[in-house]
Every structure is written in C-alpha cells, then in structure tokens.
Amino acid sequence: MGDMANSSIEFHPKPQQQRDVPQAGGFGCTLAELRTLMELRGAEALQKIEEAYGDVSGLCRRLKTSPTEGLADNTNDLEKRRQIYGQNFIPPKQPKTFLQLVWEALQDVTLIILEVAAIVSLGLSFYAPPGEESEACGNVSGGAEDEGEAEAGWIEGAAILLSVICVVLVTAFNDWSKEKQFRGLQSRIEQEQKFTVIRNGQLLQVPVAALVVGDIAQVKYGDLLPADGVLIQANDLKIDESSLTGESDHVRKSADKDPMLLSGTHVMEGSGRMVVTAVGVNSQTGIIFTLLGAGGEEEEKKDKKAKKQDGAVAMEMQPLKSAEGGEMEEREKKKANAPKKEKSVLQGKLTKLAVQIGKAGLVMSAITVIILVLYFVIETFVVEGRTWLAECTPVYVQYFVKFFIIGVTVLVVAVPEGLPLAVTISLAYSVKKMMKDNNLVRHLDACETMGNATAICSDKTGTLTTNRMTVVQSYLGDTHYKEIPAPSALTPKILDLLVHAISINSAYTTKILPPEKEGALPRQVGNKTECALLGFVLDLKRDFQPVREQIPEDKLYKVYTFNSVRKSMSTVIRMPDGGFRLFSKGASEILLKKCTNILNSNGELRGFRPRDRDDMVRKIIEPMACDGLRTICIAYRDFSAGQEPDWDNENEVVGDLTCIAVVGIEDPVRPEVPEAIRKCQRAGITVRMVTGDNINTARAIAAKCGIIQPGEDFLCLEGKEFNRRIRNEKGEIEQERLDKVWPKLRVLARSSPTDKHTLVKGIIDSTTGEQRQVVAVTGDGTNDGPALKKADVGFAMGIAGTDVAKEASDIILTDDNFTSIVKAVMWGRNVYDSISKFLQFQLTVNVVAVIVAFTGACITQDSPLKAVQMLWVNLIMDTFASLALATEPPTESLLLRKPYGRDKPLISRTMMKNILGHAVYQLAIIFTLLFVGELFFDIDSGRNAPLHSPPSEHYTIIFNTFVMMQLFNEINARKIHGERNVFDGIFSNPIFCTIVLGTFGIQIVIVQFGGKPFSCSPLSTEQWLWCLFVGVGELVWGQVIATIPTSQLKCLKEAGHGPGKDEMTDEELAEGEEEIDHAERELRRGQILWFRGLNRIQTQMEVVSTFKRSGSVQGAVRRRSSVLSQLHDVTNLSTPTHAILSAANPTSAAGSES
C-alpha cells in the first residue's frame, strides 16, 4: 500500500505538493492521511495502520513522538505541530453584533406601534391648514397660534422617536453585555478542562486547547476525550460512543482489536494511553461541528427553512403519549424556538404575569382611546354642531393621532417590559458573583431554581469530607493496629507482599509527590483512596516507585479496573517462574467473601472460613466503620505455571483469595460542613447522604456532619435494603412504596448510581407533600450522569469530578465543597427576592400611571402625563430600577426562611398590600394636584389646554411629583417581607445608590431645561421642595403600611402563580424529550418514524372504534387523552373539529390557552 501511494503520486500533482509541505515540517504523516485514518473503525483501521506504518509505534515514529516518553516539551516543536495539524480548538459561532441586537430590540410590538404613531404625528405637524378656515375647525389650534408655536408641533413626535431609540439602545446594550458575560463563562468552563499528557516522560495536566497531534495522552475512567487518537496500551477500556454513533452500548477498546478513540466520547471504564492523531476542526467532533456550521452563516438561512420543517421535527419528537391536542400545538411552537432546558419556574411565573398585565394594559389603553375619540367627536360635531370640512381633515386627524399616542403610552407604561430584563440582569449578576463563591453556573436558570431547593442529595467523599485520605488503622498478621505499625513489627514476607499488592494494583497515574511548600502535606495525585494506600507504604518506610519501575504498566498481564458494580480492582502479573499472581483490593465486606485463606503473624497461610469472616467483621471491620473509617481489604492469589485460567471469567479468577490485610482509611469531615448543614436545615432543606461506602462508616460520618441527630426519627439504608423496600414482587419500582421511604431517609449507603437516580426521581415525582420537591444532587463519577440530569439542579465536582459528570451538571463546584452549595441556595433565593422587589416597585408605578392616564384622559381629554414623560418614567422604572433592585447582594437572613416552592405566587399578600397601599397614596396626591393644584400653588390651570399649547407649570409639577414619589418608593421596594428598616444595607449596593442619585439628577435637568420636548416648564425652588416633600412622604407612608398586619387583609389576592399542576407535568414530559440534543434527534428520527407508523395505524383503529362506540362527543372525551394527541398527529384536524373536542373538555381548552 505504501508503494502504491507513492507510485500514484505522479498522476496527481496536487497531493504531491500537499504531501511535501508537511514533510518539509519533518513529519511522516500528512493531515489528510490522519483524517482518513480516523474515519476507519475496528479491523479496517488496524489493517490500515499495519499497511501504512507497521504498527502504532511506527505511527508514533512518523509523528516524531515516543510512546513512553511523549513529546519533548519544546515550544517551537509544539507550535510547528499546531501550524501543520491545527489547534485543538473549535471556533465558536459568531456572537450577534450590537446592530443585530438593536434590530431585535426594535421588534417589540409596543415600540413599533409607538414609532408608527410618532411618525404619523411628525408628518401631520408639518401640515398647516389654510389660515382663514381655522375658525371653522373649532377651537382646535387657537391657543397655539397666539403663542406662535405651531412650528413646535413636530417636537412631540421627534421626542417620542428619540425615547424609543433610548429604550432600544439600553435593551440592546443589556443583551450585549449578557452575551459577553455568557461567552466569558463558556471560555472559563473550557479553560477549566484539563487533560493528562506525557511530555518528557513527566505526567502533565495541560488545558485541552494545548493538546497537539503526537501528544501521548493518559485516558482514564470518566474522561471526555478531547481529541482523536490511536490506543497504544489499554486496561479493560470501555467507551460510550453514543454521542457520535447513537449506540448506547459501551464499546470495548484494545490496542489489538479496536484502537480508534474519538473525540467527544466518554470513557466509562478502565484506562489507557493514546497517541493524539487529530485535533480541533479535524477531529471527528470537529468535523461534525463544521458540518453543523458552528462558524458559518448557512445556519441563518437554514434556520428560516428549518422553522418550517421544525414544526414537523418537533412533531416527530413529541412523546407519543402527549397531552391534549390544543396544548400540543402551543408547546410545539414553544419547542421549535425553545432552548434546551425547560423554562425555569421563575420565568414561567413571570411570563404568565407579564401576559396578564399586558392584557389588562391593552384593554385600558383601548378604552382610553375610544373614550377620547367619542368625547371629541360628540363635543365637536354634536354639541357644537360643526360639519366635517375637507380642509379641516388634517387637524382632526392630528387630534386622533394625539389620542392614539396617549393610548399607546398607557399601553407602554402598562406592559412591564422590564420584567424579562430584570430576570436577566439579576441572573447574570448572580452568576458573575457566584464565580467568587466557587460556583461555576452552566445553566442560568439553575441559579434561581436553587433558591427553591427543598432537598439536597450529597455524595460523602470530597463534598462533605476533605478528600484527603490516610490509612489510620490496619489489621495485619492477626493483629489489629490502631496506628501505623513499625516496619520491624511485621514479617518481611507480609510487608513485601503488601508493598507489591499496593504499588502494582493501583493506577500508575496515582502518585504521592513531595509537598510544594516547606512543611506542607505531601501532594496526592490521582485516586484518593489509592493515594492513602501508597501513603501507607511510605509510612512503612518503603517506596512504591522502584516496584513500579521493575514492573512497568505495559508489563501488567491483565487489569480488572474499578467500577461501581465490582467495587474492587485486580491486576495480574506474570511471575518469573511462568505462573501468575493476581492482586486484588476492594470494599472489605465484598472481598472478604472471596477469601478462603489469610496470612497469619508469620506470613503463612491459614484457612479462613465463613465463621472466621463473621468474627472479623464483628471485631475488626465494624469497629473501624463506626469510627467513620472506610475499610479496604487487600488480597492476592497465585496461579501455578501450568494452570492459566480463562481471564474473561472474572468470578473464577477473582476468587479463592488470600487476605493480606484490611486497612481503615480516614477521610476527615471538612471543618465547615456541620455549620453549612445546620444552615440548610434551618432554611428548610433536607440533606441526604448517598454514598458507596459501608453503612456504619456512612452513619458515623453523617452523625459527625449533623445530617442525622440522635433522637430523630430517620432511616439509614443500604442499597439492597432500599431496593427491597421500594420494589414490588415483580421487581418494579412503586411510587407509593418509595413515598413511605424517602421522607425519613437520611443516609443511603452501598448505593449504586442507579439507586441514586431512583431516589432522585422518586423524590421529584412524589406527590405526597403539598409542594413538589425541588432536588439538588451532587455527583463526581461518570455514572452519576443520569442522576445529575434528572435532578432540578445538578452539582458536579470541579476537582474530583469526571468530565462526564460536568457535562451533565448545571453548576460546577470549583472547590468541591458543600458550603458552596449553601452559597448557591443563598444566591438563588436572592434572585427570587430581587425579582419580587422589582415587581413590587414596577407594579405600583404601572397601576398609578395607567389610572392617572386613563382618568385624566376621560375627565380632561388629555393625559396629565405626556407620552414622552411616560416613556421617561418607563425607562427609569423598567431599565434603571431593574438594574438597581436586581443587583442587591444576598444576606445570611435569606437562609432563615423556608423555600418558596414551585407554586408560590410571585406577589405575596404583603407585596400586594405594599403595591395597593402606595398606589392609593400616589393617586390621592396626583389627583389632588390635578384638580386643585393650581389653587394651591397659585398658578394657571393646565387642564383643557388646546393642541400644541406650551407646557404648563401645573402639569410639570404633577410629572415631577410623580417621579419623586417613584424614586422614594424605589427605596421602599428594597424590602418585601414587611421589614421596617428600608435603608438596611443600602450602602453595600453602590449600583443602587448611583442609579437613584443619577435618576434624580437627570430629572432636575429634564424639568428645568427639558422644555417643549418633555412638556416641562421650569419650576421654582419652592415648588421643587413641595415635590420633594411629597416624595419623602412615600417613606413615611411606607411605615404606615408596614404597621397594618397582612393577616387582617383577607381580601387581598396573590398574583403570579406558577403554571398549574397539569401544565407542569406536560412541561416535564416535554423536558425529558428536549434533553436529547440535535445530533441524537437526527439519529432517533428513524426509530421515531417507525414507531409513529405503527402508532398511526393503531390510532386510526382507535378513532374508528371510538366513533363506532359512541356517536356522541362524550365517548370521544372519555378517550381524549390517548386519542386526541394522536388524532392531532394523524389528521392535523381542521380547527373547528379541534375546537369541539377541546370544548367538550373545558379543562383542556383552558389549559391550552394559558
């Protein structure tokens, strides 16, 4: 084949050049060659490697690297490799430009209406009717003519346009900074990911982006492979390639059968070494990304096309047992544009609330316009009896436009477009700050969900404990040592066996390195349990390194790596005499069952019967476990030269063992954990420990942490017992049985990842409490993925966690510490409270502004607050206030209350009391000013002013007072639980102070110098002081409201409830489906089409039989849930029929509307 390739070159001049360029770089493989190599699998790939390179080491030689030493860590060489073979980096999609964001912000319906109205108003203002007929058109523009200000008519339209531009720019800027923060977060997550490579014979952790072709990478359990490579050596390696192939079965990899490792796949078991052959855009994942056009613009065009098809795809994806048809359509629409996760609880509540408020605003604004128009028409044409003259048309139209603008303004103020903004700002701010608290948030909504958490299922090792393990007790040669024995106390044979068993039968990547600083503890690298054992060897004044050098990793005959099913690890080596020796270590109760002998004090074998084992468990293992130690048994077995067993029959091989020792490993509880758990319990969050450890060890540690307290009624179960209690005779899990267990369960020991997932799912699906439980889970292992995904919030360990766990999680704990979870709860609750503060403020303004505009318009035919003023109020309310109130830092007091739960309304009774209370005060003041203000201040009345008349002091005072009241009410809004001291901690939030003072400053400028565009005339100092005085009155009034006990106000309703029960479950049905990413979507389409084919036949039969059985609608209703969804699927019912079916079931119709 090699010769063939060379001979064929003469005919193809192009590849010739291509081939020479890299070889000028001095490497024996071209990029294209390696790419084609990586597209082969299994036997084909092996054949190709043999033909082209001889074997893998030949490939390494061509790539100028050594299978054992790796690359020389030489920057020029690494740089050259990057230039020739590319960097390990897939360029992200271009972020949206600022102009694109501006364009998106302009799509807002209310803004568009305003723009149109403003442009019409502008156009009309330039049209002056012929002078002599102006009398005939009534008192239309009399006042304006006197002042000679008719030319200023355009100002209002221009001002509206200007304020629209302001709103748009602010929105776009906020989106842009959010996007930027999110990109920063992404790159931070990417930088966090490191991978182990060998360079200069040293193991190094390098960032994934620094990998180059030719690197020798160490692959271990739990890794997400960052590049393509060819295996050099492997122990029991199994890979989950479902992300590329969609096959969920784990694929066995070995250097002599299938050596191809692909980027983006997960290592589920075992370990090995590979030589990197393709990185970045040239790796398999990179190629897929390029096809998906992560960088290209085709995406956009595809998107538009896809929108049409997406409905279809979404239909394909629909779980076939869907909800009612009506709701289904709704959700399809949502899903076609939905991001991956379901809407968070908070967003759900907010969207609903915003829609309700928007509807109310729309009604109000429509009524306002209608009343104004009717009043004008009746006044002009009926009362004054004028006729509509052609030349007066523009004048009348101008009036109608003015009314329309007032109506739109009412609408603008009524629609709280600041809500989504407040959520985004608050979440983005929290996420940024949570970084400092060691929480790396991967999904924004996780942050807020965390505030509602009611249960945390935590791992033990590393989260509650320090993950710095040491052997403190041991049982060697018939003696139980409570501390490390002196080496002289042990028989040389035992000592020798022990040192070999520990040094060889542990991952060679696990090491103990000298401390970085003088007097510090030695550094533990790799698996912490193995580090403890290696530390034990060092404490016995022996060294593990020489043993490993004598038997290097590639000399190991067979390795059974540790996994959660085996709970043990075994390694086989070949003895000089041709026999084999197997070393095994693992959980003591599991391994001791396989032991038939034990070494006595002289190092000789002694029989070990089940009775001896029970003695040992009782006298040695249980006492160790009750001290909170993990017990590990170390054993070996010899096979003589003649009897080589069948190595694949693991149960045979790892049996009939001889126990060398049992050691007790201490993993001390982190000193700060008991306090953190106390905080959780005070905050109404139940902490459960789920661990793979022995039940006694788990119980001891749970007691130290304060998870279980003496005298409480709690359960500590082992995985087996847990399963026995929750499964019925057929072995199926029953929710009722689970509901009997989980409320009291505090410790689940010896649990498998499946048990963890079962528990989490059981708690989430439970309907026993009045609230649905919100569960957070911590995990670090590959197999914790399902539980992390199922949980409402999944925490992965940043240090000990595998890449697979990090991928499945929502938040990464960068310091693996439980206290960081408590911080996350604090931030989550803070987000919720910030939004509530903003709502309380926003709704007060909305209620007041809408009522003022409405009644003002109805009584005086003109809104006291002009369009531009309304827009300014809207800007401070919406944008600035959301910034000010959404960035309040959290306080410890947040942890003193119980979680809100998923269906608690956003606006509590207390908040409703505040909103209505303040609204009453503000309306009283404004109406007083509106109707008797001119007498009080001794100024001209601003009521009934003609079109284009100059701004009056009267209305300016109303506007100014209104804004002052809002400013002081913003301070009131900082507290939502009825606290008295609203200034508490105000200086810890500089953003808030800046915004309040800034708004005040701008307000002065607007009033004194705003003139015609803002319809303001400058005020005197005395008038200013009155405005301020009324504003400060807000704070006093706030105290009055706080005095009224909420419990007396039974009449107040709460608002902003979460989505109803039935909707919720549907959302979740869909959510499960949405977690499948797009690549899998493509792969699963085939299967789904097949199922749907079958389903359709089945459905058509059902439909036929249903209608046979009952001609009436009732029969149809009875079968609604199963049939309707599919009916919808099958025939895409025309709307009328659909409506009848929905109407037959009012609940479904209501459900689909909301």
Side-chain angles (χ1 to χ4, degrees), residues 202-375:
Q202 293 289 319
L203 279 180
L204 295 179
Q205 289 271 337
V206 299
V208 164
L211 285 178
V212 294
V213 169
D215 256 326
I216 304 294
Q218 282 278 8
V219 184
K220 60 182 188 312
Y221 154 84
D223 282 341
L224 174 69
L225 297 182
D228 293 354
V230 178
L231 256 187
I232 299 172
Q233 171 263 331
N235 302 322
D236 206 5
L237 192 62
K238 284 193 187 145
I239 305 254
D240 172 9
E241 293 189 345
S242 58
S243 57
L244 286 180
T245 61
E247 295 296 329
S248 55
D249 294 343
H250 299 169
V251 186
R252 273 200 105 95
K253 296 282 181 185
S254 59
D256 50 358
K257 289 204 182 65
D258 182 3
M260 308 312 261
L261 299 180
L262 307 174
S263 57
T265 58
H266 292 134
V267 182
M268 301 311 277
E269 238 178 80
S271 62
R273 280 206 318 275
M274 72 170 185
V275 54
V276 176
T277 54
V279 293
V281 209
N282 301 307
S283 66
Q284 293 299 307
T285 316
I287 292 170
I288 292 176
F289 265 109
T290 324
L291 290 176
L292 286 175
E297 261 65 72
E298 305 90 75
E299 186 92 345
E300 295 296 305
K301 296 171 200 145
K302 269 199 313 223
D303 252 9
K304 287 175 188 144
K305 259 192 234 145
K307 284 258 162 69
K308 292 171 196 156
Q309 299 159 12
D310 217 38
V313 176
M315 283 277 184
E316 314 280 358
M317 292 309 299
Q318 196 54 3
L320 295 165
K321 50 174 195 305
S322 160
E324 293 80 41
E327 244 169 334
M328 187 151 139
E329 270 187 339
E330 285 280 293
R331 228 182 20 255
E332 292 312 347
K333 283 185 206 130
K334 266 193 228 158
K335 188 178 295 177
N337 316 327
K340 211 168 80 170
K341 277 271 196 187
E342 69 162 313
K343 267 215 200 98
S344 69
V345 187
L346 184 63
Q347 278 168 318
K349 289 181 185 175
L350 278 177
T351 317
K352 212 165 165 186
L353 190 69
V355 168
Q356 287 165 346
I357 297 173
K359 279 180 186 165
L362 197 62
V363 170
M364 289 293 275
S365 64
I367 295 176
T368 313
V369 174
I370 292 168
I371 289 179
L372 285 169
V373 170
L374 283 177
Y375 196 102

Side-chain angles (χ1 to χ4, degrees), residues 19 22 78 152 265 297 407 417 455 576 656 686 722 907 988:
R19 255 195 117 142
L78 297 179
T265 58
E297 261 65 72
E417 64 270 36
D656 200 8
T686 313
F722 172 69
I907 301 173
S988 65

Side-chain angles (χ1 to χ4, degrees), residues 1110-1135:
S1110 66
S1112 72
V1113 174
Q1114 254 138 18
V1117 175
R1118 236 177 270 125
R1119 302 191 52 96
R1120 182 196 87 239
S1121 53
S1122 66
V1123 178
L1124 202 69
S1125 62
Q1126 292 148 335
L1127 244 174
H1128 189 83
D1129 246 8
V1130 176
T1131 44
N1132 265 340
L1133 283 173
S1134 53
T1135 326

